[in-house]
Amino acid sequence: MENLHRQLRAWLRGFWPQPIVTSRRDRLAGSLGAAFGLIATAWVCHRALGEPNPWFIAPMGASAVLLFAVPASPLAQPWSLIGGNLCAALVGVSCARLIGDPVLAAGIAAAIAIALMFPLRCLHPPSGAVALTAVLGGPAVARLGYGFAWHPVLLNSLLLLAAGWL
């Protein structure tokens, strides 16, 4: 029985991730950069949509994790962020306009956005949430139509990228 417990503990330890080896300076810079970038994007989003919109801030928060915590990842590169978010926003708005059922439109928007990001070489996981936001973001997002892709999505993506470069 003791052997079984030891094996179970060893197996469970396999789920514990390896430590992320970064300096305190890099962790601080990443955290402060994310704060600065997200505050700027939240401000732009508030100006564009007329109200705070958690549906939109969520994908930008996920983008910030990639850009500031794992900047060397292929999913965090400038083209991945800009191309992925722009593609997903355009697809999401199109699906919202063409498909009457928002649940169906959201699923199809995410699927098409992912399918397009592969050949465009701009796969960025938070862009899936951008596609969903374009469909489920409410009246303010619907009112913007395709303008949603340019302001706030593209502008906020560029602000996050600029914060990352700084």
Side-chain angles (χ1 to χ4, degrees), residues 86-112:
L86 190 57
C87 171
L90 292 170
V91 167
V93 170
S94 296
C95 287
R97 288 180 168 211
L98 297 172
I99 302 168
D101 178 4
V103 173
L104 185 60
I108 290 173
I112 292 172

Side-chain angles (χ1 to χ4, degrees), residues 85-90 93 144-155 157:
N85 283 347
L86 190 57
C87 171
L90 292 170
V93 170
L144 288 173
Y146 287 104
F148 174 75
W150 310 113
H151 181 263
V153 172
L154 179 60
L155 183 57
S157 298

